Amino acid sequence: MPTDYQRSARTSLDREYAYMAWGMMAGAVPGIVAGLLVAAFVGHAAMWVSVLGGVGIVLGLVAGILLHRMRHGRGAQDRAASPEHRPRS
């Protein structure tokens, strides 16, 4: 059976990766801008851009993961805790 690569993936893990990617981009841009602003007054542009850009990427990654969990739940852990998914004795 051939795989259709034109269809967008719709699994929870794919959505989580999308949230992580958008979060990293959203954190990198302000981090780079802040690095350039700090470097304008302090100097050493490459150091400040890389440090503050990296901090922005990490903060954006964490924010993306938390936003996905808030909007879509925790997945298997929520389902396992529900009464209809408990193993029968």
Side-chain angles (χ1 to χ4, degrees), residues 28-81:
V29 173
I32 291 170
V33 171
L36 289 173
L37 290 175
V38 169
F41 298 107
V42 179
H44 305 290
M47 180 187 73
W48 288 110
V49 168
S50 64
V51 168
L52 293 179
V55 168
I57 289 172
V58 171
L59 290 176
L61 178 66
V62 170
I65 291 170
L66 293 176
L67 186 63
H68 177 264
R69 287 185 181 176
M70 283 177 17
R71 288 190 177 179
H72 297 288
R74 296 186 72 115
Q77 292 176 356
D78 286 344
R79 287 190 297 272

